[in-house]
Amino acid sequence: QVHLVESGGGSMQTGDSLRLSCAVSGRNISNNCMGWFRQAPGKEREIVAAVNWNSYRTYYPDSVKGRFTISRDNAENVVFLQMNRLKPEDTAKYYCALSRYREVVTSSQLYDDWGQGTQVTVSS
């Protein structure tokens, strides 16, 4: 059974930086696209970053491009999300997800396993 456990969330101020981690157990992630999503109250879940299996390709929506960076350590089975210049609109619960595909995919429906999420709150 695959388990994804996010950590690193917290309460921050505008402009702060935060690094989220996602530890995966039960499966080697070396051949899988990994993604980070977020969901704010009353809003749909949205992707904020994805990285392909070998880290050669990444995806970011315009809302976080230039501020967020996804990375992975396949040897340690861990994925990271570095978030810089945080804004109040980044407030959400952040989820790590594992896809069955190797290359970058952006639809949540193409991700098979999810963590429980970690809360990020940014105040002005």
Side-chain angles (χ1 to χ4, degrees), residues 91-112:
T91 295
K93 196 164 188 180
Y94 283 72
Y95 299 87
C96 175
L98 181 151
S99 173
R100 72 191 82 113
Y101 297 94
R102 287 160 58 98
E103 296 302 330
V104 167
V105 290
T106 59
S107 169
S108 61
Q109 296 182 0
L110 300 181
Y111 288 80
D112 301 298

Side-chain angles (χ1 to χ4, degrees), residues 71-118:
S71 60
R72 63 191 296 161
D73 184 338
N74 286 345
E76 297 294 328
N77 243 31
V78 180
V79 183
F80 304 100
L81 183 68
Q82 177 68 43
M83 304 186 294
N84 297 329
R85 303 197 306 277
L86 284 165
K87 304 176 181 180
E89 49 263 45
D90 294 320
T91 295
K93 196 164 188 180
Y94 283 72
Y95 299 87
C96 175
L98 181 151
S99 173
R100 72 191 82 113
Y101 297 94
R102 287 160 58 98
E103 296 302 330
V104 167
V105 290
T106 59
S107 169
S108 61
Q109 296 182 0
L110 300 181
Y111 288 80
D112 301 298
D113 298 287
W114 295 78
Q116 293 299 307
T118 185

